[in-house]
Amino acid sequence: MADSYRYRCGECGYRTPWGHQSQGERGIASHYEKRHPYLDPGGIVEYRQGSSGCGAGCLVAVGILVLLLVIAAATQH
């Protein structure tokens, strides 16, 4: 998932929209320039859970492997 980063201002609670890491960095830097010009950008970075790219595809692959193991175990005498 490409839109997996959001930055929160450490001074006022402003949040950038979910997006790429570089978009969030630019957004929070712009916010600090406008709202908190004498402070270095701070706050926290939020990472959207489940955005690792391993979703249903991984589940299917694990299911197939388990099925193959069951079949292999059942066919051995």
Side-chain angles (χ1 to χ4, degrees):
M1 176 182 284
D3 297 337
S4 57
Y5 291 90
R6 177 169 70 182
Y7 288 71
R8 294 182 125 188
C9 178
E11 312 304 321
C12 68
Y14 167 80
R15 295 178 297 192
T16 64
W18 289 104
H20 291 282
Q21 186 174 7
S22 60
Q23 291 172 326
E25 289 172 353
R26 286 192 302 268
I28 202 70
S30 174
H31 167 76
Y32 267 83
E33 287 175 9
K34 293 175 188 172
R35 298 288 186 158
H36 315 290
Y38 300 108
L39 298 175
D40 291 332
I44 62 169
V45 179
E46 295 178 311
Y47 184 73
R48 186 180 287 178
Q49 297 295 323
S51 59
S52 66
C54 185
C58 288
L59 186 59
V60 170
V62 169
I64 290 171
L65 288 175
V66 169
L67 182 62
L68 289 174
L69 285 173
V70 169
I71 291 171
T75 58
Q76 289 184 342
H77 294 296

